[in-house]
Amino acid sequence: MVGIGGAAESTDMVLNIGPQHPSTHGVLRLRLVLDGERIQHAEPVIGYMHRGAEKLFEARDYRQIIMLANRHDWLSAFSNELGVVLAVERMLGMEVPERAVWMRTLLAELNRVLNHLMFLGSYPLELGGITPIFYAFTEREELQHVMEEISGGRMHYMFNRVGGLKEDLPAGWATRARASVAALRSRLDVYDDLVLGNEIFRGRTRGVGALAPATVHAYGVSGPIARASGVDFDLRRDEPYLAYGELQDTLKVVTRQEGDCLARFECLLGQTHNSLDLADACLDRLAELPPGPINQRLPKVLKAPEGHTYAWTENPLGINGYYLVSKGEKTPYRLKLRSASYNNIQALTELLPGTLVADMVAILGSLFFVVGDIDK
């Protein structure tokens, strides 16, 4: 695999990056073929974290599968739950109370901010900048307290239910949520000044790992990564669900044309700003709504009618799709999960060849993936 002797200088070298130990936050292996310091071929090798969630869906009823679904992307637990319950409600032809619709939209946007803050802090860390991660975790705690108060969970909220949400807002929660959103918004300029204003960060990311729109379409890349390449598509605007149809004046889809690592970071930061605006709009609307039910009463044994449906959502990392097949039983016959990270990571086979090994970390980190979302 590695040439030794007189011909070593012209022999390709195969280098394995990872897999890391399972106790780390992700186990991805990259198989690289190098010519000196330049990558000639790259193959992402997945499956080291595979937990068989799709198969386990078939052995759990429609209430229990929510617990499995919120764990594959552990930074987007609420959004993961949401896609499953939307698919089941579509099968049942169920209408969700208006109050639950607006609360779901609010919590989905707060969850989006939590997801993005992790990457806004950790990406500079991977390039040698340690300071932003401390700011990111401070801001995340501000929102984590709000999410934990309403749901009882810090990561896996389990707050969605088929037909609505687990329970209504605690007394005074909306005021505390609004204060947290305002505090976070006032401190987001840290990333503009500390990160985007850093010449070393810009030097490591500008013009590096440019992803062409044709590649985005070919691999099904979605979310901020696709929009950074000029692919202007967002399900919240283009096929509205929840309350997004009434938030079109507030919703701004952030795009860039460069498609490089810097553009992907800028899209993530711009989307974070907009999610805070959407959260404020949802809080305003909830304040206007009269008290009412937060969910639908369900039978003791919940069975979806025979048939199939497909629901998709604009998750923080991109498009998540849920293909549900029912045989009329209390468990799904099949629930196929289309996760954003799985498609996004495949683009590495196009992005890495021709780049330097030193730029590999910058490119890999800018794809903003969660390994559990790949292996599910």
Side-chain angles (χ1 to χ4, degrees), residues 1-13 33-36 40:
M1 296 190 48
V2 180
I4 298 176
E9 294 180 2
S10 61
T11 302
D12 293 337
M13 180 173 73
V33 178
L34 307 180
D35 181 7
Q40 287 190 325

Side-chain angles (χ1 to χ4, degrees), residues 216-238:
V216 169
H217 293 301
Y219 285 88
V221 175
S222 60
I225 302 171
R227 293 191 283 273
S229 296
V231 179
D232 188 4
F233 182 72
D234 190 315
L235 282 176
R236 296 174 298 169
R237 178 198 63 196
D238 301 321

Side-chain angles (χ1 to χ4, degrees), residues 76-149:
S76 310
F78 186 86
S79 301
N80 298 338
E81 301 170 10
L82 186 60
V84 171
V85 296
L86 288 176
V88 178
E89 287 163 3
R90 183 173 294 180
M91 287 286 285
L92 294 169
M94 180 180 290
E95 288 289 332
V96 176
E98 184 181 14
R99 189 168 181 80
V101 170
W102 281 96
M103 278 183 60
R104 280 178 172 180
T105 310
L106 167 63
L107 295 173
E109 291 306 314
L110 293 180
N111 193 196
R112 192 181 309 276
V113 174
L114 282 171
N115 175 291
H116 291 354
L117 281 173
M118 177 62 79
F119 291 108
L120 290 172
S122 65
Y123 184 47
L125 178 67
E126 291 166 358
L127 299 180
I130 192 172
T131 308
I133 193 71
F134 296 115
Y135 285 99
F137 268 84
T138 301
E139 314 312 338
R140 275 175 56 84
E141 279 301 307
E142 190 90 41
L143 283 185
Q144 286 282 27
H145 288 316
V146 169
M147 297 293 281
E148 186 175 7
E149 181 186 358

